[in-house]
Amino acid sequence: MADLFAADPEPATAAAANAPLADRLRPATLDEVVGQSHLTGPDGAIGRMVAAGRLSSIILWGPPGTGKTTIARLLADAVGLRFAAISAVFSGVADLKKAFAEAKEHARVGKRTLLFVDEIHRFNRAQQDGFLPFVEDGTVTLVGATTENPSFELNAALLSRAQVLILHRLDAAALGQLLDRAEAEMGRPLPLTPDARDALIASADGDGRFLLNQAETLFSVSFDAPLDPAALGQFLQRRVAVYDKDREGHYNLISALHKSLRGSDPQAALYYLARMLVAGEEPLYVLRRITRFASEDIGLADPQALVQCLAAKDAYEFLGSPEGELAIVQACLYCATAPKSNAAYAAQKAAWKSARETGSLMPPAHILNAPTRLMKDIGYGKGYAYDHEASDGFSGADYWPEGMAPATFYAPVDRGFERKIAERLAYWDDLRAQRREEA
């Protein structure tokens, strides 16, 4: 495992000529890092640390191919620290102990260590706790790299001792710079039309390493003429959508779908639905979330929304993929374009809260069934007004427990079918007041 802990006290040397293009183009200084100027620039967190000559422990959080490993190595060079790296994929407790022991030995001769931990989120909680004493006493300056949300994947104790810095996915301008450098390194332009070059950048989805690997593939082949977007698509294999069903991307996309539906934007909602299904999400999971939306954010403003979702479930189960996915699209678009109301959802929360607070109160005796003589004798059911026998089919009786004032949980909005419901409630409120005056 010695190669996992190779120290590099000197600035990184140029990559070998036969190294992959992405390695040959690794920046030699922080100024050469593209797309992260909010961190590496003079006013960025990293820029300020370097200017001060002091580096605190940090967690670099960002998508693949955005420069996390490169920045960590360049940080060590910039502030004069020994660089040591481990990968949480290949390392265990014994490897960590060895890394800390080596850092202590170097500290004794005045050489501090930057310990770079790639994929730090893959260490379990106990392993993460193992970093704490060595970070606290300065044995190592920890730089962790993760593609996952640190709030979910890292111990609170570790997060409290490190600054989380967010790396952005590389935008088109940054990716274009990488291609310019690749062409300069290779001494010739990419065999692409301008439109195909744009398509290549778009296919990278913000991942610089992926882009350079694709560019290297193009440089390795001779073409009679520059490729247009269609020919490029045929030559390069399609990039698989980045989506991990048990990680943050999963929750981000379902949140985006829900909020697009709530915002009555059918185009955005359909886009996020497509993102999930194209990436391999279970269609019925997505439909369950849309069905929940139909109750939570539409409710009785359009009762057909829930019916549409359940019909989509039946259709999908009957047809399967891909044909049945159209029914999910239909449910999605119906919900996005339906009138919105969270009145039923708000009513549920208010009623549940009241029930928890007043759960020991008995309903009034007049609405209790009396299946035994004893119950009749003690007043169960006495005076119950059968509404169908009242004029207008409405008795106006008081159904609330004694000692509890009537409450309003459900307040329909003035949209969709709830407008009609509000009219009915107002009608019954008036009748109720009249009945009680007559009584």
Side-chain angles (χ1 to χ4, degrees):
M1 300 295 289
D3 60 319
L4 295 176
F5 305 100
D8 184 11
E10 302 299 329
T13 56
N18 61 349
L21 181 61
D23 281 348
R24 303 204 305 272
L25 292 179
R26 280 191 185 277
T29 66
L30 286 167
D31 292 338
E32 295 178 9
V33 174
V34 300
Q36 311 302 340
S37 59
H38 64 293
L39 296 178
T40 60
D43 295 326
I46 290 174
R48 290 179 182 276
M49 290 182 196
V50 170
R54 292 186 61 83
L55 182 64
S56 62
S57 290
I58 59 177
I59 303 296
L60 299 174
W61 172 29
T66 52
K68 297 183 289 295
T69 303
T70 296
I71 288 174
R73 183 176 289 275
L74 294 177
L75 272 174
D77 294 341
V79 297
L81 297 183
R82 167 182 171 267
F83 181 85
I86 63 174
S87 169
V89 176
F90 302 109
S91 307
V93 173
D95 304 313
L96 290 175
K97 288 181 178 178
K98 182 179 178 182
F100 295 138
E102 290 179 352
K104 280 190 172 183
E105 289 298 320
H106 283 83
R108 288 192 180 98
V109 295
K111 191 67 174 177
R112 297 174 58 230
T113 297
L114 183 155
L115 179 61
F116 174 63
V117 183
D118 198 16
E119 305 281 348
I120 191 171
H121 61 276
R122 292 182 181 270
F123 278 134
N124 62 37
R125 302 286 171 168
Q127 290 169 320
Q128 290 177 29
D129 285 341
F131 288 95
L132 300 179
F134 302 100
V135 171
E136 286 179 343
D137 67 12
T139 299
V140 299
T141 297
L142 174 66
V143 177
T146 179
T147 56
E148 305 300 333
N149 190 328
S151 301
F152 301 145
E153 303 297 334
L154 299 185
N155 283 355
L158 187 57
L159 285 176
S160 71
R161 292 161 175 81
Q163 183 178 359
V164 176
L165 302 181
I166 301 174
L167 280 74
H168 296 162
R169 63 189 295 277
L170 302 185
D171 60 18
L175 293 170
Q177 283 183 263
L178 292 182
L179 289 186
D180 291 342
R181 292 179 186 178
E183 290 173 329
E185 171 71 17
M186 300 301 294
R188 64 183 190 275
L190 282 163
L192 301 174
T193 66
D195 286 345
R197 183 187 175 95
D198 291 342
L200 179 65
I201 289 173
S203 75
D205 196 24
D207 185 333
R209 182 170 49 245
F210 175 86
L211 179 69
L212 291 176
N213 289 341
Q214 296 289 67
E216 186 168 26
T217 300
L218 289 165
F219 279 126
S220 68
V221 179
S222 296
F223 297 97
D224 294 334
L227 303 180
D228 62 15
L232 175 67
Q234 291 177 352
F235 178 73
L236 296 177
Q237 72 176 64
R238 187 176 73 88
R239 180 175 174 84
V240 177
V242 176
Y243 184 75
D244 194 338
K245 289 188 281 186
D246 65 350
R247 298 290 184 178
E248 190 195 11
H250 163 87
Y251 298 106
N252 286 346
L253 288 181
I254 200 64
S255 175
L257 172 62
H258 194 128
K259 291 178 175 63
S260 300
L261 290 168
R262 182 181 291 154
S264 299
D265 189 335
Q267 320 303 339
L270 188 56
Y271 168 73
Y272 290 117
L273 173 67
R275 281 274 300 271
M276 284 185 284
L277 294 185
V278 166
E281 180 58 83
E282 168 57 46
L284 285 176
Y285 166 78
V286 182
L287 184 54
R288 282 195 294 272
R289 302 317 304 162
I290 297 174
T291 303
R292 163 68 186 193
F293 175 87
S295 293
E296 178 180 338
D297 288 277
I298 299 174
L300 291 168
D302 186 347
Q304 281 298 312
L306 186 57
V307 176
Q308 284 281 331
C309 290
L310 295 178
K313 167 187 166 289
D314 289 343
Y316 179 80
E317 289 180 339
F318 183 59
L319 295 173
S321 290
E323 290 87 351
E325 291 172 10
L326 182 57
I328 300 176
V329 168
Q330 179 175 325
C332 173
L333 294 175
Y334 190 99
C335 288
T337 55
K340 306 299 188 295
S341 170
N342 73 339
Y345 178 52
Q348 180 201 16
K349 292 196 293 184
W352 264 235
K353 180 175 182 292
S354 180
R356 284 190 291 269
E357 294 171 349
T358 62
S360 62
L361 297 179
M362 281 286 290
H366 73 92
I367 62 171
L368 300 179
N369 287 333
T372 70
R373 185 166 192 83
L374 174 61
M375 288 178 163
K376 289 179 181 177
D377 290 344
I378 62 176
Y380 279 30
K382 184 178 180 180
Y384 171 63
Y386 186 55
D387 287 82
H388 294 292
E389 294 177 349
S391 60
D392 300 309
F394 182 79
S395 67
D398 184 353
Y399 300 101
W400 293 90
E402 291 183 15
M404 180 178 177
T408 299
F409 302 130
Y410 176 54
V413 301
D414 191 32
R415 291 186 293 277
F417 186 66
E418 282 198 331
R419 183 181 292 114
K420 291 289 186 183
I421 295 175
E423 292 173 1
R424 293 178 189 172
L425 293 181
Y427 169 73
W428 286 325
D429 285 343
D430 289 342
L431 273 184
R432 186 174 292 109
Q434 291 177 24
R435 297 287 188 269
R436 291 180 183 177
E437 285 178 4
E438 293 168 359

